[in-house]
Amino acid sequence: MELTEISYIEDTIVANATPLIPSAVSIVRISGKNALNIGKKIFRKDNLEPRKVYYGKFYSHTGEVIDEGLLIFFKAPNSFTGEDVIELHTHGSVPVIKKIIEEAIFYGARFAKPGEFTKRAFLNGKIDLTQAEAIAQLIEAKTERASKIAINMLEGKLSKQINSLRNILLELMALIEAELNFPEDVESVDNNLIREKLQQVIDSIDRLISTYKKGQILTNGIKLAIVGRPNVGKSSLFNALVGYERAIVSEYQGTTRDFIEETISIKGIPVKLLDTAGLRHTEDKVEKIGIEKAKEKLNEADIIIFVFDASEGWTKEDEDIYEEIKQKNPIIVGNKIDLLLDKNQRNNIFKNIIYVSSKTKQGISSLEDKIFETLNIKESSDEEIYINLRHYKALEKSKEILENSLKNLEMLKDQKEILMLDIQEAEKYLEEIVGQITTEDVLENIFSNFCIGK
Ligand SMILES: Nc1nc2c(ncn2[C@@H]2O[C@H](COP(=O)(O)OP(=O)(O)OP(=O)(O)O)[C@@H](O)[C@H]2O)c(=O)[nH]1
Ligand SMILES: [Mg+2]
């Protein structure tokens, strides 16, 4: 591993691995050269064998008993960080955890920075960068699906793909290099072969890039704004989707003034629903502000549900609002179908209208299906991986260089050195993703987003 610019860390770190809240059991973790020594002192036991669970008392340096619990010693390199690690399993009492950490610090450890345990695991070659990121992603995951995706990354599925692309480029570089070094003995590399290989890598990069936006949707979710003229039943629909009477509903126009938001899960996707004030011309000062906010939310939203009152039909006011928002491809919902006795009364101005009754809940699950369909996300699979922004940027750069090389291939016929340099640079960007070459800045950025103790 080329990590010359990163100094190996000599000191020993300590932190609570579980949150500082009252609980049944908590874990304090110590990692580094001095970990075993500190463990022995706190536990008052001289002989600790690796991977054994010891039961005993934890002592302060002044000799008082802090708590009793378990100790496990993981000997380097067979630990999460690759260093000597001591785990102390205490009762989940906040003062006890704090005291044990203080004692470890007394014996020479330092309180860990966010993500420092994982950073050490990376620096010691236990995991690569995509796997380190996957740990943070797993901890942050809000849905089962998001956690499964993180596990796929943690298992190295992204690294595997990146490395196989790197190999194609490295093989290509080897061929060109041989030609450059031994022009007499080696046949020149066929341009068709180069073209084919470059295209293959570009296509794979494209596929990975396309996972970025969807990954963002899966992990961070989307914003969905419900808009329409007053009284069509936006708040009622909001409540139907949320599952309880969250927003005020009334027969008066202009009931909703401020927007209301609530996060729900649609097939595992976090959806932040926004109920907004009915859009109309009004002289009411407060309502006007609400309408302004509604317009703001409309622009922020990833998806818009445009509600009209199906029992009244498509009115001039509906048409006016629709004209304003149609470029955002809203899902059109005809509400209050329970008031329509005759199905034929349904308005067929648009092909894609979803008819619902927020009152009887009829059609609500079709609407949820429609929302999910709009996101264009497939059902979850075991191979599912989604890249993050850091990967995305590196892939974009790599792709740009390779596309350029591809374009200049004919021109560069006699200048294989340039081609060689380009491929080398493109490969470096791929290397960056798995973290074979990284600067301290990049690492800082990744690990500072972790919580303490990870
Ligand atoms: N029968 C029937 N009545 C509904 C339905 N949805 C809403 N309503 C009624 O329509 C009226 C307006 O509902 P709201 O949900 O407050 O409408 P809104 O679009 O949020 O209105 P504003 O906040 O004023 O813009 C209320 O009297 C609701 O009970 C429905 O599906 N069926
Ligand atoms: Mg309302």
Short mmCIF file of all heavy atoms in Angstrom, two decimals, residues 231 233-236 247-250 254-257 275-278, ligand 2:
data_model
loop_
_atom_site.label_atom_id
_atom_site.label_comp_id
_atom_site.label_asym_id
_atom_site.label_seq_id
_atom_site.Cartn_x
_atom_site.Cartn_y
_atom_site.Cartn_z
N ASN A 231 -58.87 23.33 -0.69
CA ASN A 231 -60.04 22.47 -0.44
C ASN A 231 -60.17 21.21 -1.29
O ASN A 231 -61.18 20.52 -1.21
CB ASN A 231 -61.34 23.29 -0.59
CG ASN A 231 -62.14 23.25 0.68
OD1 ASN A 231 -61.61 22.90 1.74
ND2 ASN A 231 -63.41 23.57 0.61
N GLY A 233 -58.42 18.65 -0.90
CA GLY A 233 -58.15 17.51 -0.02
C GLY A 233 -56.68 17.15 0.08
O GLY A 233 -56.33 15.99 0.29
N LYS A 234 -55.81 18.15 -0.02
CA LYS A 234 -54.36 17.90 0.08
C LYS A 234 -53.99 17.39 1.48
O LYS A 234 -53.27 16.41 1.63
CB LYS A 234 -53.57 19.18 -0.23
CG LYS A 234 -53.78 19.71 -1.61
CD LYS A 234 -53.02 21.00 -1.86
CE LYS A 234 -53.49 22.17 -0.99
NZ LYS A 234 -54.92 22.50 -1.19
N SER A 235 -54.51 18.10 2.49
CA SER A 235 -54.19 17.69 3.86
C SER A 235 -54.80 16.33 4.17
O SER A 235 -54.20 15.51 4.87
CB SER A 235 -54.70 18.72 4.86
OG SER A 235 -54.08 19.97 4.59
N SER A 236 -55.97 16.07 3.61
CA SER A 236 -56.61 14.77 3.83
C SER A 236 -55.77 13.67 3.19
O SER A 236 -55.58 12.60 3.77
CB SER A 236 -58.01 14.75 3.22
OG SER A 236 -58.76 15.83 3.71
N ALA A 247 -52.36 16.49 9.84
CA ALA A 247 -52.64 17.85 9.40
C ALA A 247 -54.11 18.19 9.65
O ALA A 247 -54.97 17.31 9.65
CB ALA A 247 -52.34 17.98 7.91
N ILE A 248 -54.36 19.47 9.87
CA ILE A 248 -55.75 19.91 10.09
C ILE A 248 -56.50 19.88 8.76
O ILE A 248 -56.01 20.35 7.73
CB ILE A 248 -55.79 21.34 10.65
CG1 ILE A 248 -55.04 21.40 11.99
CG2 ILE A 248 -57.22 21.83 10.81
CD1 ILE A 248 -54.90 22.80 12.55
N VAL A 249 -57.70 19.32 8.84
CA VAL A 249 -58.57 19.24 7.66
C VAL A 249 -59.85 19.99 7.99
O VAL A 249 -60.39 19.84 9.09
CB VAL A 249 -58.91 17.76 7.36
CG1 VAL A 249 -60.05 17.64 6.37
CG2 VAL A 249 -57.67 17.02 6.86
N SER A 250 -60.31 20.82 7.07
CA SER A 250 -61.62 21.44 7.31
C SER A 250 -62.28 21.77 5.98
O SER A 250 -61.63 21.75 4.93
CB SER A 250 -61.47 22.71 8.14
OG SER A 250 -61.25 23.80 7.30
N GLY A 254 -58.37 27.39 2.40
CA GLY A 254 -57.25 28.07 3.05
C GLY A 254 -56.99 27.59 4.46
O GLY A 254 -56.54 28.35 5.31
N THR A 255 -57.30 26.34 4.74
CA THR A 255 -57.07 25.79 6.08
C THR A 255 -55.58 25.68 6.38
O THR A 255 -55.11 26.10 7.43
CB THR A 255 -57.72 24.39 6.21
OG1 THR A 255 -59.11 24.52 5.94
CG2 THR A 255 -57.51 23.81 7.60
N THR A 256 -54.85 25.08 5.45
CA THR A 256 -53.41 24.91 5.68
C THR A 256 -52.69 26.21 5.34
O THR A 256 -52.84 26.73 4.23
CB THR A 256 -52.85 23.77 4.81
OG1 THR A 256 -53.62 22.60 5.06
CG2 THR A 256 -51.39 23.49 5.14
N ARG A 257 -51.95 26.72 6.30
CA ARG A 257 -51.22 27.97 6.07
C ARG A 257 -49.74 27.66 5.95
O ARG A 257 -49.11 27.86 4.94
CB ARG A 257 -51.47 28.95 7.22
CG ARG A 257 -52.93 29.33 7.41
CD ARG A 257 -53.36 30.16 6.21
NE ARG A 257 -54.77 30.53 6.23
CZ ARG A 257 -55.24 31.69 6.70
NH1 ARG A 257 -54.43 32.54 7.27
NH2 ARG A 257 -56.51 31.96 6.61
N ASP A 275 -47.11 18.79 3.08
CA ASP A 275 -48.45 19.31 2.79
C ASP A 275 -48.32 20.82 2.70
O ASP A 275 -47.62 21.44 3.51
CB ASP A 275 -49.40 18.92 3.94
CG ASP A 275 -50.80 19.44 3.69
OD1 ASP A 275 -51.16 19.66 2.52
OD2 ASP A 275 -51.55 19.62 4.69
N THR A 276 -48.93 21.41 1.69
CA THR A 276 -48.74 22.85 1.49
C THR A 276 -50.07 23.59 1.44
O THR A 276 -51.13 22.97 1.31
CB THR A 276 -47.99 23.13 0.16
OG1 THR A 276 -48.80 22.66 -0.91
CG2 THR A 276 -46.65 22.43 0.13
N ALA A 277 -49.97 24.90 1.53
CA ALA A 277 -51.16 25.74 1.47
C ALA A 277 -51.75 25.68 0.05
O ALA A 277 -51.02 25.61 -0.93
CB ALA A 277 -50.80 27.18 1.81
N GLY A 278 -53.06 25.70 -0.03
CA GLY A 278 -53.73 25.69 -1.34
C GLY A 278 -53.34 26.92 -2.14
O GLY A 278 -53.29 28.03 -1.62
MG MG B 2 -54.78 21.68 3.78
#
